[in-house]
């Protein structure tokens, strides 16, 4: 029974791929931000990259041999959509003192909600890292604050994706 329970939890937490998408998308935003050298350039990047990452992650979940229960799958879908919409609206409409970190706070909160829905400790760690990093950057206001945030959150997501991938038994990670 313990083996079946452990295997069931591993099948129920297929978060390595979405975390990998987060890591690649976030880390790629750093050179984009440097190359475009403007807030608008990064904003346009996220306008394209966020929905694309969400679509690819959604495709991954629909291709899995084991699907989530309807209610949990719907909660995860609604959380993901709310996350995309909230970050987009904040990034494009809010110009206050916290404009750099506000989207990262929303991402952290959204990832924490997804972590609960997907029962993924690795996702919770990435969400907590995003929240903590955003708060630290808001308080100390370092030079290149965006790059620091993206590097920290991107590397946390990469480590979390690798951890989730290693946790998954051979044969259960394919989609």
């Amino acid at each position: 029974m313990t083996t079946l329970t452990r295997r069931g939890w591993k099948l129920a937490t297929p978060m390595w791929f979405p975390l990998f998408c987060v890591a690649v998308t976030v880390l790629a935003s750093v050179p984009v931000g440097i190359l475009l050298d403007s807030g608008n350039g990064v904003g346009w990047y996220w306008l394209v990259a966020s929905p694309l990452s969400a679509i690819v992650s959604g495709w991954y979940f629909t291709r899995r041999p084991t699907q989530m229960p309807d209610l949990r799958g719907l909660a995860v879908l609604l959380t993901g959509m709310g996350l995309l919409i909230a970050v987009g609206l904040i990034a494009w409409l809010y110009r206050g003192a916290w404009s750099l970190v506000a989207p990262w706070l929303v991402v952290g909160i959204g990832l924490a909600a997804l972590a609960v829905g997907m029962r993924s400790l690795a996702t919770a760690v990435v969400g907590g890292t995003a929240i903590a990093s955003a708060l630290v950057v808001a308080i100390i206001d370092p030079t290149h604050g965006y790059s620091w945030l993206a590097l920290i959150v991107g590397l946390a997501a990469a480590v979390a994706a690798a951890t989730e991938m290693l946790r998954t038994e051979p044969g259960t990670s394919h989609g």
Side-chain angles (χ1 to χ4, degrees):
M1 186 62 144
T2 303
T3 302
L4 289 175
T5 301
R6 188 179 71 239
R7 190 171 293 152
W9 278 108
K10 288 180 179 182
L11 285 170
T13 58
M15 289 302 293
W16 73 268
F17 188 80
L19 287 169
F20 176 74
C21 288
V22 167
V24 169
T25 306
V26 169
L27 290 173
S29 75
V30 175
V32 168
I34 292 169
L35 288 172
L36 298 177
D37 198 31
S38 74
N40 277 346
V42 173
W44 284 107
Y45 168 80
W46 282 111
L47 185 64
V48 173
S50 295
L52 184 61
S53 180
I55 289 168
V56 170
S57 293
W59 170 83
Y60 167 76
F61 281 114
T62 61
R63 302 290 300 160
R64 289 188 44 79
T66 304
Q67 298 297 321
M68 290 182 284
D70 289 340
L71 186 56
R72 192 166 63 143
L74 180 61
V76 168
L77 176 67
L78 291 175
T79 300
M81 288 174 51
L83 180 63
L84 278 173
I85 292 168
V87 168
L89 287 174
I90 288 172
W92 290 99
L93 299 177
Y94 180 68
R95 298 289 177 237
W98 285 61
S99 62
L100 174 68
V101 298
W104 293 98
L105 291 171
V106 172
V107 166
I109 292 166
L111 287 173
L114 287 173
V116 170
M118 296 302 293
R119 299 178 178 146
S120 172
L121 179 59
T123 306
V125 168
V126 176
T129 300
I131 293 168
S133 301
L135 291 174
V136 168
V137 166
I139 292 167
I140 64 173
D141 194 24
T143 305
H144 307 294
Y146 176 84
S147 295
W148 282 109
L149 273 170
L151 286 173
I152 292 168
V153 174
L155 291 174
V159 169
T163 302
E164 285 284 305
M165 208 178 316
L166 291 174
R167 268 182 11 104
T168 306
E169 290 181 15
T172 62
S173 63
H174 66 289

